[in-house]
Amino acid sequence: MSRKKTGRRREALNNRAALIAITGVVFSLAVAVEVKGTQLRATERDLLAQEQTLTMQLNDEKNRAQDLEEERVYVQTKEYIEKVAKEKLGLVNPGETLLKPSEKK
């Protein structure tokens, strides 16, 4: 009878050891999943911030492209051509008098 009790005790100890080992493995996996989840959430926050920055830059560049297109159209107008001709080349329309300041010595 003592052999039966000893066998049962060993079996119970083996079962407890297996249960403790399984519990340790499950706990370790839970900790690993939580750590990885935290890292992924941090990465997600960083990527969202980067996406917002890039979206703002894209909008700025679209506005800049629109401004440049408007300027391209403007520089092809007669008004712009006359303005540049008057400022840089001294263009005078009929009936206008060009006045230049005198140089003082």
Side-chain angles (χ1 to χ4, degrees), residues 24-42:
V25 169
V26 169
F27 181 74
S28 297
L29 288 173
V31 169
V33 166
E34 181 60 31
V35 168
K36 192 62 174 176
T38 302
Q39 290 173 347
L40 288 173
R41 284 188 290 278

Side-chain angles (χ1 to χ4, degrees), residues 51-87:
E51 179 185 22
Q52 289 176 344
T53 301
L54 291 173
T55 301
M56 288 176 18
Q57 287 177 354
L58 178 63
N59 290 336
D60 290 345
E61 290 301 318
K62 283 180 180 179
N63 291 337
R64 184 171 172 261
Q66 184 178 357
D67 292 344
L68 288 172
E69 179 60 23
E70 289 172 3
E71 186 176 347
R72 185 189 67 80
V73 170
Y74 173 68
V75 298
Q76 294 175 350
T77 64
K78 184 177 179 183
E79 176 186 348
Y80 175 79
I81 293 169
E82 283 183 6
K83 177 183 169 189
V84 171
K86 283 182 179 184
E87 289 175 0

